[in-house]
Amino acid sequence: QVQLVESGGGLVQAGGSLRLSCAASGRTFSGYVMAWFRQAPGKEREFVARISWSTGSTYYADSVKGRFTISRDNAKSAVYLRMNSLKPEDTAEYYCAARIGTDTLWNYWGQGTQVTVSS
């Protein structure tokens, strides 16, 4: 049973930083793509960043490019999202997700962690 468990959210002032963690378990994730999504109140869930577990290649939404960094630690089976220069508009519930590399649908989701950026 695949489990994704996020942590690291919290309240931070604008301009501050946070690092989110996603502990992945239940299988080996070689060949998977891992991602972070976020959902603000009253808005649809949106893509933030993704990383290939095998190659480490990354891709970012334009809104976070240059401020956020996604990474993974194979030994710890964890994925991270380092968020710098946070803005109030980054306030959202952040979700970790996983899919098989060749799929288009995200098969697995975590429960989310709340990030609140005050102005």
Side-chain angles (χ1 to χ4, degrees), residues 23-109:
S25 63
R27 62 159 299 123
T28 57
F29 289 90
S30 176
Y32 273 64
V33 178
M34 309 297 291
W36 288 94
F37 288 77
R38 65 186 182 186
Q39 187 168 20
K43 295 188 177 181
E44 292 188 353
R45 189 173 297 187
E46 66 173 356
F47 167 80
V48 175
R50 69 171 187 255
I51 186 167
S52 166
W53 197 279
S54 301
T55 67
S57 63
T58 59
Y59 182 80
Y60 297 90
D62 287 343
S63 58
V64 306
K65 202 174 295 183
R67 299 188 299 122
F68 290 10
T69 302
I70 188 171
S71 62
R72 90 273 193 240
D73 185 326
N74 289 348
K76 295 183 178 179
S77 196
V79 178
Y80 305 101
L81 186 68
R82 177 68 179 182
M83 306 184 294
N84 295 329
S85 303
L86 282 162
K87 306 174 182 180
E89 50 264 44
D90 294 317
T91 295
E93 189 83 6
Y94 282 72
Y95 297 90
C96 179
R99 64 170 170 82
I100 297 171
T102 54
D103 281 356
T104 55
L105 294 179
W106 295 92
N107 309 94
Y108 306 104
W109 292 86

